[in-house]
Amino acid sequence: MKQIIIKGGKPLSGEINISGAKNSAVALIPAALLSDGEVTISNIPNISDINALNEILEYLGATVVIKDDTIKINSTNISNKEIPENISKKLRASYYFMSALLGKYKHVEMFFPGGCPIGSRPIDQTLKSFRALGATIIEEENRFKIFAKELKGNYIYLDMPSVGATINAMLVATKATGETIIENAAHEPEIVNVANFLNSMGAKIIGAGTDKIKIIGVRNLGSGFAEVIPDRIEAGTYLIAGALIGDNLTINNIIPEHLENVILKLKEMNVPMEIFSTKIKVTKTNNLVAANIRTAGYPGFPTDLQQPITVLLSIANGESLLEETIYENRFQNIPYLKTLGAKVTMISERQIKITGPANYHGGTVIATDLRAGASMILAGLIAENTTYIDKAEHILRGYDGIEEKLKKAGADIKIITE
Ligand code: EPU
């Protein structure tokens, strides 16, 4: 087990470089299997979710060469084997292998994917899309046997704009015959990153990033290239860190447009920022004002920053309301933040009231999931004494080099293995 130990109160300054986006990279790697040649993906983050995907690639027999942050994948000789449950349940993104293998072989057997325990996270929209494209699905407990005589393009209407279902439908439709329309598709920039990657291999995908995506199926996909976009959630987390305790902290290598609604919310709270084309400079203020936030799919305020921003809201003057609309179980960090000093009341299962300003004082907490853990790090950075975060391996699933990045900026933080 890993534990993060933070002695709070140290100002953050200098520069933090943002890595490639976890939620893009974890889709790009499985998408690589659709190619009949070799693909190259650069700006891959060094996080444990990527290690889990590489384990799956290796298990299937792909040739993988990793050099620095670039991965080359050749899947010419893979075998379409069932991925063992102990590997596939390590992360949510393992279900992108379901669609990549279905697209490539018209047959796949796989277990229900894993992921952070932030809600029930059903995959009905993914399965519905597979069926629309001609697949038959035999479901036994949490195992799926999916096969198709022929994959045929079709009209797919997603009941909600699911990121996973949009990408899964896109991967399969790329290898189906004829035209597919995905309506009510999710808009996240990670989806555009995946569509551009597939197009570089020879796919014909138009409209990714809007709610209607058109895909003309192709028989073969060749070599391709992708650069993983900057991680907007990692960037948002460090922007919040800068708003909490920054002294001219510069967050580098970002696409500010991907953070538009986060930046607007920080401005509304009075956070001093200077915004440039690929970086933002942020400094703490003592005049933070409360704000109300409701999470939403892109371009709305991201659910993945809901737990981190709770810490900022809790030191602002006044009462803030925070509503989580995407997941039913994403307030698991609240009891722990309260242990550290936050003043939060649950209004309903999906809504909390935060009263500020709170004083954080350190203590021992548990990272129940990735972003919950990030919120505890943020609290630890401003706490009076020492904060101990257990189960820190959850945080390492999604934050590349968090210890080094924060240390370099001035924090007193270390990760120990118990
Ligand atoms: N949903 C369904 N049925 C489905 C699919 C989704 O009911 O078939 C529901 C989910 O339960 C959830 C909502 O729709 O309430 C949105 O789910 P979505 O499919 O969009 O999420 P995801 O693809 O499972 C990705 C990210 C999450 C991020 C969400 C929303 C990956 C691997 N995960 O999840 O990232 O919160 O999109 O932006 O890309 C994180 O990084 O901490 C994280 C949880």
Side-chain angles (χ1 to χ4, degrees), residues 6-10 12 241 244-245 376-383 387 406 411-413:
I6 306 174
K7 287 190 187 137
K10 308 275 188 293
L12 300 177
L244 287 168
I245 193 159
M376 292 169 206
I377 289 189
L378 293 170
L381 289 173
I382 52 167
T387 302
L406 282 172
D412 185 338
I413 177 172

Side-chain angles (χ1 to χ4, degrees), residues 29-308:
I29 290 176
L33 295 191
L34 284 173
S35 168
D36 299 313
E38 182 184 81
V39 301
T40 305
I41 309 169
S42 69
N43 202 28
I44 296 271
N46 185 6
I47 50 176
S48 63
D49 267 12
I50 297 294
N51 301 340
L53 292 177
N54 286 340
E55 207 180 324
I56 297 177
L57 287 179
E58 211 166 275
Y59 175 81
L60 296 174
T63 309
V64 178
V65 180
I66 303 171
K67 192 166 179 263
D68 304 324
D69 66 1
T70 298
I71 183 168
K72 284 185 189 293
I73 304 168
N74 191 322
S75 51
T76 320
N77 296 318
I78 61 167
S79 47
N80 186 12
K81 296 190 283 186
E82 182 177 74
I83 300 164
E85 191 176 13
N86 66 329
I87 316 183
S88 61
K89 77 171 180 211
K90 281 189 185 167
L91 78 171
R92 182 75 178 164
S94 56
Y95 71 173
Y96 294 135
F97 281 106
M98 218 185 228
S99 50
L101 291 170
L102 178 64
K104 193 168 179 116
Y105 297 106
K106 301 195 183 77
H107 172 214
V108 63
E109 291 185 31
M110 228 184 104
F111 289 90
F112 192 86
C116 280
I118 50 182
S120 62
R121 309 185 76 181
I123 62 166
D124 54 297
Q125 299 304 304
T126 285
L127 299 179
K128 171 175 123 169
S129 307
F130 291 169
R131 284 193 192 97
L133 295 169
T136 300
I137 302 175
I138 299 174
E139 195 175 333
E140 290 159 354
E141 295 201 16
N142 61 341
R143 187 170 168 277
F144 300 88
K145 195 172 174 182
I146 308 170
F147 50 91
K149 222 165 150 194
E150 191 191 349
L151 291 166
K152 267 192 183 166
N154 202 348
Y155 175 83
I156 299 168
Y157 181 86
L158 297 179
D159 296 342
M160 77 281 294
S162 152
V163 173
T166 302
I167 294 178
N168 278 323
M170 222 162 62
L171 293 180
V172 178
T174 290
K175 290 302 291 287
T177 54
E179 180 180 299
T180 295
I181 300 287
I182 308 171
E183 192 98 56
N184 200 25
H187 294 192
E188 272 66 3
E190 292 76 18
I191 294 166
V192 180
N193 208 182
V194 176
N196 288 342
F197 181 46
L198 293 169
N199 284 344
S200 81
M201 297 181 204
K204 293 182 181 154
I205 304 172
I206 304 158
T210 73
D211 51 14
K212 186 172 177 173
I213 303 179
K214 182 168 143 182
I215 302 147
I216 316 275
V218 295
R219 197 180 282 268
N220 295 106
L221 293 171
S223 309
F225 173 77
E227 179 177 353
V228 182
I229 56 170
D231 195 315
R232 61 197 167 92
I233 306 301
E234 187 199 15
T237 305
Y238 289 124
L239 271 180
I240 294 168
L244 287 168
I245 193 159
D247 175 8
N248 284 308
L249 178 70
T250 301
I251 318 297
N252 278 331
N253 183 30
I254 62 171
I255 300 177
E257 296 78 50
H258 290 175
L259 284 154
E260 201 170 359
N261 270 311
V262 176
I263 292 169
L264 282 177
K265 201 43 84 174
L266 294 178
K267 280 188 181 162
E268 187 185 318
M269 293 181 74
N270 268 344
V271 174
M273 283 178 293
E274 274 179 80
I275 300 163
F276 303 92
S277 57
T278 59
K279 64 181 183 184
I280 299 180
K281 200 181 257 192
V282 56
T283 291
K284 151 195 165 141
T285 170
N286 292 325
N287 293 320
L288 277 180
V289 294
N292 296 334
I293 296 178
R294 195 167 182 269
T295 62
Y298 189 83
F301 191 92
T303 168
D304 297 341
L305 286 174
Q306 177 266 107
Q307 291 161 308

Side-chain angles (χ1 to χ4, degrees), residues 11 18 28 67 77 108 121 131 206 245 272 284 310 319 328 336 345 353 362-363 382 385 407 409 416:
I18 297 308
L28 290 166
K67 192 166 179 263
N77 296 318
V108 63
R121 309 185 76 181
R131 284 193 192 97
I206 304 158
I245 193 159
K284 151 195 165 141
T310 302
E319 269 181 7
E328 65 273 22
Y336 295 108
T345 319
K353 184 174 84 184
I382 52 167
N385 300 310
K407 234 186 209 162
I416 59 167

